[in-house]
């Protein structure tokens, strides 16, 4: 993001280990439904599927690594289960609760400290669910455990509304961590959200190597009178009834997990959860935008002008190739500008920035295009890799265009090179609209890089989520959702996309088919 401040911090805190037992899984975690057509997943048949493959009876008490008999049984609450679906998946999510006076709490460290300092364990909010999901096309069915741990501020702000964060949908302002375990209790992967966007991910293999140590935390609270031999360091009496103990670990090694979750064993293959960890099923092919039928001559002209500038001479071509390599292999942003001086294209030296920002020297009279990279610092994939134009990219372009026009400059727009090799052109298509200060102000961003207009910010998140739910990649969803906003609010800007290996940009357009349902299209 050109001229963008760093938005988020590094390490994930709170990937969790603990020694508890849930309803027994005694067979595989993955099964394929043979029926054609695929039977829709309902709460009733999700429970039947679960009982068929994992068994319906609780098994014997599990032991922790320390050899203590914990006797904690967590049970899916099918009577409170909720059904959700999108174009690709059905899901049934059931809260997990203890069969005794034992409460299992997943917390970030700041929430833990707040609970201890204020004796406020009863105020801790979390999402702790057993999820069954079925692919609508293949019938493949999966089971796993999902946990949402909010930040302290988000938890206190939204309260019980935290429950609206589900596997297929997240709230646009979610701050916290979402982590997944398979039914054997093995940590698979986790994601940090800041203001509804993923800013960091961690997988099993990332616990090894030279990474900074990761904090692993789980709290188990017991009725004081019912307390049985539980391993861990006692935190003391929280109130008259509850005693809580923590299970924590600072580790440089891959964690070894005690018995946890739904019991059973084996890997699960769940492509929609993201890369890394235990997932091994092939990811479904991303949905492609339809071909546009209304491409005007100006769309081709904008694309050709940008392509000509990028291929103007040998130095320009080599510099662009260098930026592509950096986008693919480096974890910080890089950028440069193409100048137009005395009828000649001149590309400047590449400058480096930080993970999510780069400051590029800009000449408001001679800069024709700025070019910068969007790296993939944490190896995100699928719906999580949303590397299209950022809010700050749009705002910076509009500000720079107005300044360039004031000085008689030639600035045309911004080019983004992503880690996957896709190139994105944001160009000025209507100078009268793009040079209007009210347009700039409409797309203004705050210190966090989000639109100041919260309705606009929510609309961007909603369109992106709709496109992802239709089966588009996160990258395309972020491109086509921004394209929709630029057209709808008369920005004077257009977004074009060039796939890796292709030789020309294609202009994008997103229309609203019906209320909150969108249709991406692209020029042939």
């Amino acid at each position: 993001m050109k001229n963008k401040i760093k938005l988020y911090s590094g390490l994930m805190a709170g990937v969790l280990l603990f020694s508890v037992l849930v309803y027994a899984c005694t067979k595989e975690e993955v099964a394929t439904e043979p029926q054609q057509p695929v039977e829709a997943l309902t709460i009733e048949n999700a429970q039947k599927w679960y009982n068929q493959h994992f068994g319906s009876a609780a098994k014997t008490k599990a032991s922790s690594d320390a050899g203590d008999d914990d006797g904690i049984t967590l049970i899916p609450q099918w009577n409170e289960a909720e059904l959700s679906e999108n174009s690709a998946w059905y899901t049934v999510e059931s809260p997990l609760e203890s069969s005794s006076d034992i409460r299992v709490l997943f917390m970030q460290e700041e929430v833990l400290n707040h609970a201890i300092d204020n004796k406020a364990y009863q105020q801790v909010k979390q999402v702790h669910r057993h999820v069954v999901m079925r692919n609508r096309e293949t019938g493949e069915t999966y089971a796993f455990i999902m946990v949402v741990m909010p930040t302290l501020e988000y938890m206190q702000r939204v309260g019980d509304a935290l429950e609206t964060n589900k596997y297929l949908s997240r709230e646009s302002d979610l701050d916290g961590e979402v982590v997944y375990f398979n039914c054997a209790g093995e940590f698979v992967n986790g994601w940090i959200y800041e203001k509804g966007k993923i800013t960091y991910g961690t997988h099993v293999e990332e616990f090894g190597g030279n990474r900074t140590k990761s904090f692993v935390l789980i709290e188990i609270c017991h009725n004081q009178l019912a307390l049985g031999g539980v391993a861990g360091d006692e935190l003391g009496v929280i109130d008259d009834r509850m005693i809580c103990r923590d299970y924590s670990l600072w580790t440089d090694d891959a964690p070894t997990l005690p018995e946890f979750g739904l019991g059973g064993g084996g890997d699960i293959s769940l492509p929609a959860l993201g890369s890394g960890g235990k997932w091994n099923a092939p990811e479904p092919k991303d949905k492609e935008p339809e071909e546009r039928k209304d491409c005007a001559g100006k769309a081709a002209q904008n694309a050709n002008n940008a392509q000509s500038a990028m291929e103007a001479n040998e130095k320009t071509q080599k510099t662009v190739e260098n930026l592509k390599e950096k986008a693919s292999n480096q974890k910080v942003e890089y950028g440069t500008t193409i100048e137009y001086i005395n009828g000649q294209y001149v590309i400047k030296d590449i400058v480096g920035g930080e993970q999510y920002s780069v400051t590029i020297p800009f000449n408001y009279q001679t800069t024709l295009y700025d070019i910068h990279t969007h790296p993939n610092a944490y190896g995100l994939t699928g719906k999580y890799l949303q590397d299209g134009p950022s809010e700050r990219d749009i705002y910076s372009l509009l500000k720079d265009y107005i300044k360039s026009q004031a000085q008689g400059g030639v600035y045309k727009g911004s080019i983004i090179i992503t880690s996957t090799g896709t190139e994105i052109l944001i160009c000025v298509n209507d100078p009268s609209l793009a040079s209007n200060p009210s347009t700039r102000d409409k797309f203004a961003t705050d210190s966090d890089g989000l639109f100041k207009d919260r309705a606009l910010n929510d609309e961007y998140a909603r369109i992106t989520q709709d496109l992802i739910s239709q089966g588009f990649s996160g990258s395309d969803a972020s491109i086509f959702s921004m394209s929709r906003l630029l057209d709808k609010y008369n920005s004077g800007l257009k977004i074009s996309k060039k796939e890796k290996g292709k030789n020309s940009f294609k202009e994008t357009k997103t229309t609203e088919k019906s209320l909150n349902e969108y249709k991406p299209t692209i020029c042939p």
Side-chain angles (χ1 to χ4, degrees):
M1 303 167 198
K2 177 170 62 73
N3 298 329
K4 190 176 188 328
I5 64 170
K6 188 173 182 179
L7 292 183
Y8 39 84
S9 60
L11 288 177
M12 178 182 188
V15 178
L16 311 174
L17 308 179
F18 69 112
S19 185
V20 302
L21 173 64
V22 205
Y23 249 47
C25 293
T26 58
K27 300 182 181 179
E28 295 178 273
E29 290 176 313
V30 181
T32 302
E33 299 291 341
Q35 295 94 338
Q36 293 295 333
V38 172
E39 180 184 8
L41 189 66
T42 65
I43 294 173
E44 181 181 6
N45 62 31
Q47 184 176 6
K48 289 180 179 178
W49 180 91
Y50 170 81
N51 291 339
Q52 175 187 352
H53 291 281
F54 302 138
S56 59
K59 64 180 183 180
T60 58
K61 296 177 181 179
S63 296
S64 70
D65 288 344
D68 295 296
D69 189 2
D70 294 340
I72 303 171
T73 302
L74 295 178
I75 304 172
Q77 303 299 295
W78 296 104
N79 61 326
E80 299 179 31
E82 295 185 19
L83 174 67
S84 302
E85 61 182 284
N86 61 20
S87 60
W89 300 97
Y90 300 105
T91 65
V92 171
E93 301 187 25
S94 308
L96 287 168
E97 294 185 5
S98 171
S99 61
S100 62
D101 288 326
I102 296 173
R103 186 184 181 200
V104 178
L105 299 176
F106 294 77
M107 288 178 279
Q108 291 192 343
E109 189 173 10
E110 62 172 351
V111 176
L112 168 66
N113 292 335
H114 174 78
I116 294 172
D117 294 343
N118 297 279
K119 297 184 178 181
Y121 274 81
Q122 300 296 339
Q123 300 173 19
V124 173
K125 306 293 182 183
Q126 62 179 351
V127 172
H128 181 203
R129 297 193 186 113
H130 168 252
V131 182
V132 176
M133 70 187 293
R134 175 170 295 166
N135 186 291
R136 299 178 68 129
E137 181 177 350
T138 67
E140 291 176 312
T141 306
Y142 312 93
F144 58 94
I145 294 167
M146 169 185 166
V147 176
V148 179
M149 295 178 291
T151 62
L152 178 61
E153 187 278 331
Y154 186 77
M155 182 185 76
Q156 293 176 329
R157 175 160 49 89
V158 305
D160 291 336
L162 179 68
E163 294 288 336
T164 59
N165 288 283
K166 295 181 171 27
Y167 176 70
L168 291 180
S169 63
R170 307 277 189 270
E171 292 300 317
S172 62
D173 61 346
L174 173 62
D175 287 326
E177 302 171 28
V178 180
V179 294
Y180 299 98
F181 299 89
N182 66 16
C183 284
E186 296 168 328
F187 168 74
V188 179
N189 55 26
W191 311 91
I192 286 183
Y193 282 76
E194 295 190 15
K195 292 181 170 58
K197 293 185 177 181
I198 289 177
T199 58
Y200 184 74
T202 186
H203 311 132
V204 168
E205 62 269 20
E206 288 181 328
F207 280 93
N210 297 319
R211 278 193 67 219
T212 304
K213 294 178 179 181
S214 296
F215 185 59
V216 181
L217 172 66
I218 179 66
E219 285 297 311
I220 300 181
C221 296
H222 301 257
N223 182 292
Q224 184 174 350
L225 299 178
L227 181 61
V230 178
D233 297 326
E234 184 173 330
L235 295 178
V237 176
I238 303 305
D239 56 31
D240 291 338
R241 297 183 305 103
M242 300 299 292
I243 290 182
C244 292
R245 301 168 185 265
D246 74 308
Y247 294 77
S248 59
L249 176 67
W250 290 91
T251 179
D252 284 322
D253 303 316
T256 55
L257 300 176
E259 188 77 39
F260 160 70
L262 301 172
D267 294 346
I268 71 175
S269 52
L270 194 56
L273 284 185
S275 63
K278 297 288 183 179
W279 306 154
N280 52 31
E283 293 199 12
K285 185 177 180 180
D286 293 322
K287 190 173 182 179
E288 297 290 338
E290 295 183 17
E291 186 175 297
R292 279 181 64 179
K293 306 298 184 183
D294 61 344
C295 295
K298 197 165 187 181
Q301 180 182 349
N302 291 333
N304 291 337
N305 288 343
Q307 194 63 37
S308 296
M310 296 174 74
E311 298 175 347
N313 51 60
E314 184 177 1
K315 182 179 178 182
T316 300
Q317 294 174 22
K318 287 183 176 179
T319 303
V320 170
E321 289 301 314
N322 192 359
L323 282 172
K324 291 180 182 179
E325 183 178 357
K326 290 181 181 300
S328 177
N329 299 319
Q330 301 296 319
K331 294 187 176 182
V332 299
E333 289 195 7
Y334 291 87
T336 186
T337 59
I338 298 177
E339 311 290 312
Y340 192 70
I341 303 173
N342 298 324
Q344 301 293 320
Y345 296 103
V346 178
I347 195 162
K348 296 296 185 178
D349 292 336
I350 295 174
V351 296
E354 298 180 344
Q355 279 186 346
Y356 308 102
S357 67
V358 60
T359 301
I360 305 170
F362 202 99
N363 187 306
Y364 292 108
Q365 293 180 321
T366 62
T367 295
L368 185 64
Y369 296 98
D370 64 79
I371 310 177
H372 67 284
T373 63
H374 277 187
N376 184 5
Y378 296 110
L380 304 178
T381 61
K383 66 180 181 181
Y384 299 107
L385 180 57
Q386 299 174 21
D387 56 0
S390 70
E391 299 94 320
R392 183 78 66 144
D393 287 331
I394 303 302
Y395 183 41
S396 295
L397 192 160
L398 291 169
K399 289 193 300 181
D400 290 339
Y401 183 68
I402 290 174
K403 292 178 182 178
S404 176
Q405 289 290 290
Q407 297 185 32
V410 295
Y411 184 53
K412 299 296 184 186
S414 182
I415 298 167
I416 300 167
I417 300 175
T418 73
S419 62
T420 59
T422 297
E423 298 169 37
I424 303 165
L425 168 66
I426 319 169
C427 67
V428 175
N429 187 68
D430 188 327
S432 63
L433 293 174
S435 60
N436 190 328
S438 65
T439 303
R440 174 201 60 199
D441 296 342
K442 174 66 178 178
F443 291 91
T445 56
D446 58 21
S447 59
D448 292 318
L450 302 177
F451 290 129
K452 288 183 178 179
D453 184 335
R454 290 311 182 208
L456 184 64
N457 194 62
D458 290 343
E459 185 175 6
Y460 177 41
R462 187 176 66 250
I463 299 172
T464 301
Q465 183 60 46
D466 173 70
L467 296 179
I468 288 173
S469 70
Q470 291 185 45
F472 292 95
S473 68
S475 180
D476 271 354
S478 61
I479 293 171
F480 284 94
S481 58
M482 188 66 77
S483 178
R484 171 63 181 167
L485 295 184
L486 297 182
D487 286 345
K488 180 178 179 179
Y489 295 104
N490 300 315
S491 68
L493 306 181
K494 290 288 186 180
I495 297 178
S496 297
K497 175 186 174 186
K498 181 169 67 172
E499 297 284 2
K500 182 179 182 180
K502 303 296 183 179
N503 57 12
S504 61
F505 289 98
K506 307 295 183 183
E507 190 177 277
T508 65
K509 183 179 181 179
T510 304
T511 57
E512 190 168 6
K513 295 190 298 182
S514 59
L515 183 63
N516 295 331
E517 186 177 359
Y518 299 89
K519 177 183 177 180
T521 58
I522 192 167
C523 287

